[in-house]
Amino acid sequence: MPALTIALSKGRLLDETLPLLARAGVIPVEDPNASRKLIVATSHAAVSLVVLRATDVPTYVQYGAADLGVAGKDVLLEHGNEGLYQPLDLRIGLCRLVVATRRDYDWRGSVQRGGRIRVATKYVRTAREHFAAKGMHVDLIHLYGSMELAPLVGLADAIVDLVDTGNTLRANRLRVVEEIMPVSSRLIVNPASLKLQRAAIAPLIEAFRKASHG
Ligand code: AMP
């Protein structure tokens, strides 16, 4: 049987991905959250898992180090989608990409005045495209985490970040001023793997489709 590797994102998405994988017949032999192993075998003889930083998942699949992967639309857009086949919206990791500011910041006024606005985000590419499409000039500050802190300490006027329940924004007295797009996680596949191992990969894609679309 051919060996297939699926790349998964660490963190909150993993908790939603594992039940979906189980419904598709792929159950890790040890808990990837607890294990220190970087490659985890599964109940499916041909399939092993690698658990990575979310932003590395498209890179592993693009270069064929993993054959399949699960990644958020936010991560895929930022990556650029090069060299990836995206057959399926898995309908997990549902959240929204938004622009948020301090509650007392006059976003609409700043936009209307056309002044330069500073926006902190890890989604530099997506944010640049969003503001360019609106004809807005913004100064983007690239951060790798805790975006919510930036407006509180005067590093930026606004942030572009993911919002799920809204609890993090509320706790930091921030509010959504623009919605950029809804986000969910996608199955991604290396196109060469699909060509060479279609007999093994096509049934897996079908199992994912059934598991995610009921
Ligand atoms: P919440 O407080 O539920 O609105 O979640 C907001 C925090 O969780 C922010 O720091 C987001 O970057 C992060 N977050 C929310 N949804 C997701 C997701 N689907 N994937 C990764 N991070 C997320």
Side-chain angles (χ1 to χ4, degrees):
M1 237 195 232
L4 293 177
T5 302
I6 306 179
L8 305 181
S9 305
K10 267 185 205 156
R12 77 159 76 184
L13 187 57
L14 188 61
D15 297 334
E16 286 188 64
T17 309
L18 292 177
L20 180 75
L21 274 177
R23 288 203 296 281
V26 178
I27 299 168
V29 296
E30 49 194 314
D31 178 4
N33 274 313
S35 172
R36 289 184 170 270
K37 276 200 191 143
L38 298 174
I39 303 175
V40 179
T42 73
S43 57
H44 192 304
V47 177
S48 54
L49 306 176
V50 287
V51 182
L52 310 170
R53 255 186 98 109
T55 46
D56 288 337
V57 169
T59 307
Y60 272 67
V61 177
Q62 177 187 357
Y63 287 98
D67 305 287
L68 301 97
V70 175
K73 184 178 174 188
D74 53 323
V75 169
L76 291 169
L77 281 178
E78 208 51 33
H79 178 79
N81 283 337
E82 297 115 38
L84 297 171
Y85 172 52
Q86 276 186 51
L88 215 49
D89 181 345
L90 296 171
R91 300 177 177 175
I92 56 171
L94 300 178
C95 56
R96 300 172 294 147
L97 188 69
V98 304
V99 184
T101 66
R102 278 167 53 152
R103 277 193 222 147
D104 59 3
Y105 181 79
D106 180 13
W107 172 255
R108 191 181 289 228
S110 296
V111 172
Q112 276 167 358
R113 281 193 298 280
R116 267 198 113 94
I117 299 171
R118 282 207 297 195
V119 180
T121 188
K122 67 178 171 194
Y123 302 104
V124 172
R125 183 174 186 160
T126 310
R128 188 183 299 118
E129 280 169 17
H130 171 73
F131 291 117
K134 300 184 64 162
M136 284 173 61
H137 294 287
V138 301
D139 293 322
L140 290 170
I141 300 175
H142 194 176
L143 294 180
Y144 292 88
S146 299
M147 262 82 76
E148 293 89 355
L149 180 60
L152 305 182
V153 295
L155 176 61
D157 303 304
I159 58 173
V160 167
D161 195 10
L162 298 178
V163 174
D164 179 10
T165 61
N167 288 340
T168 309
L169 291 185
R170 265 192 297 282
N172 292 291
R173 303 180 63 77
L174 302 172
R175 64 175 170 154
V176 174
V177 292
E178 280 185 24
E179 304 265 344
I180 299 181
M181 63 182 180
V183 166
S184 59
S185 290
R186 315 293 159 111
L187 183 68
I188 55 175
V189 184
N190 176 278
S193 298
L194 183 59
K195 215 178 263 172
L196 297 171
Q197 307 204 61
R198 184 177 287 276
I201 292 178
L204 257 185
I205 294 176
E206 207 35 53
F208 275 114
R209 190 186 310 278
K210 285 213 181 87
S212 58
H213 290 59

